[in-house]
Amino acid sequence: MVDPARPLALVAGAGRLPELVAASLDRARRPFRVLAVRGFTERAMRRRADAVVDLLDIPGTLRILKDWAPAAVVPAGGVTRPSPAALLNAAHAVRNRDILKSLAGGDDRLLRAVLSLLEENGHRVLGVHEVAPDLLGRPGRLGRLAPDADAALSIATGRAMLGALSPFDVGQAAVVAAERIIAVEGPEGTDRMLARARALNRKPFGRGTPAKGTVLVKLPKLGQDLRIDLPAIGPRTVRRAAEAGCAGLAIGAGHTLVIDGPETVAAADAAGLFLIGVEVAP
């Protein structure tokens, strides 16, 4: 149980998500302090920052958090993988063996190691979905439109396929038409996957007639640590899905951030796309 009287520590990375989380906490009158990550945190959150740290300054971060004694630490916003020089400097500065090993691994491995280190130092780590649930997509229809029978088959296919791929850490999203997989998200992210889907689904030259019932399905991987990588969509996702020939979007209800929710729903309605939240497997 998190003590509601003690402030949270919001670790603000890149993008608008930290600002949205801060606004949600303000609405809930939940006290918090902002720890900005140098070179990543946007201007609006830098102005609210109580302290600033370098991405891989683990000792400095731990000192600040020890002084703050927050009820929990909440990471929010993206960070890109550090340069080789930054990794080398971090190797000299960091003495934790697990962190040093993770520097040679993938981003998820590094983030997991950092979260484990925070927990080893007595800090509880919560995800955005736990402290700002109002930012998540709810179950059922979010906009005016609903999927037809063709789209429903696409959603079922996408859910089954993404579930089967979860152990291989491939991606969170796919573009599906009926029982045909058009594109699967890889390390390039959803936007670039949708660009590939447009070229494949709207031949020739990305301007042809798309396959009937094409849907963007975006769900968390089975067993995914949502504190590290919470699926997200926003107005730009809707625009890219429309360009790819999608009839709509299906997202994991309660497990997917809807950035700028009203604008995202309005964009889907304006483009004639459905937007629904579907149940996520436990």
Side-chain angles (χ1 to χ4, degrees):
M1 182 70 179
V2 175
D3 183 356
R6 290 167 56 200
L8 299 170
L10 177 60
V11 182
R16 290 196 60 238
L17 180 57
E19 183 180 355
L20 295 174
V21 174
S24 176
L25 294 173
D26 285 337
R27 288 192 295 272
R29 298 185 178 180
R30 184 72 169 87
F32 66 97
R33 304 179 79 172
V34 177
L35 183 59
V37 182
R38 196 184 315 277
F40 292 95
T41 308
E42 303 291 335
R43 182 178 301 174
M45 289 307 295
R46 289 203 306 270
R47 287 196 293 262
R48 294 192 65 166
D50 298 279
V52 181
V53 293
D54 291 314
L55 176 62
L56 291 175
D57 182 10
I58 304 299
T61 301
L62 291 175
R63 283 194 297 271
I64 291 169
L65 293 177
K66 182 179 180 179
D67 181 58
W68 288 0
V73 179
V74 183
V79 292
T80 56
R81 187 154 181 78
S83 67
L87 294 178
L88 182 61
N89 290 336
H92 290 298
V94 178
R95 295 293 178 259
N96 182 278
R97 185 172 298 176
D98 290 335
I99 295 291
L100 292 173
K101 287 181 179 178
S102 72
L103 292 175
D107 291 351
D108 275 6
R109 184 178 175 186
L110 175 59
L111 290 171
R112 287 179 189 278
V114 171
L115 294 189
S116 295
L117 182 60
L118 289 173
E119 291 173 333
E120 288 170 8
N121 280 267
H123 299 291
R124 183 171 181 180
V125 181
L126 297 180
V128 169
H129 61 295
E130 296 172 287
V131 301
D134 57 315
L135 301 181
L136 305 177
R138 66 179 187 276
R141 191 175 70 189
L142 304 182
R144 291 188 297 103
L145 304 176
D148 60 15
D150 293 314
L153 176 58
S154 301
I155 294 169
T157 300
R159 294 176 71 182
M161 186 274 297
L162 289 172
L165 288 179
S166 285
F168 303 100
D169 198 20
V170 173
Q172 302 173 326
V175 176
V176 186
E179 296 180 314
R180 173 188 168 212
I181 308 298
I182 296 172
V184 179
E185 181 185 33
E188 82 279 23
T190 303
D191 282 354
R192 291 187 180 181
M193 185 266 294
L194 286 168
R196 283 194 288 112
R198 176 180 180 178
L200 294 167
N201 194 38
R202 306 194 70 156
K203 295 180 179 178
F205 310 116
R207 296 185 179 181
T209 301
K212 195 174 181 182
T214 301
V215 178
L216 169 63
V217 183
K218 185 153 188 173
L219 305 169
K221 295 183 282 287
L222 298 178
Q224 180 172 319
D225 189 339
L226 299 179
R227 299 174 303 171
I228 293 175
D229 192 8
L230 186 63
I233 66 165
R236 185 174 64 185
T237 315
V238 172
R239 292 194 296 270
R240 297 290 186 266
E243 292 167 358
C246 292
L249 299 84
I251 62 174
H255 291 71
T256 305
L257 285 165
V258 181
I259 305 295
D260 297 322
E263 291 86 349
T264 299
V265 172
D269 288 343
L273 274 60
F274 66 81
L275 175 57
I276 65 166
V278 298
E279 184 181 349
V280 174

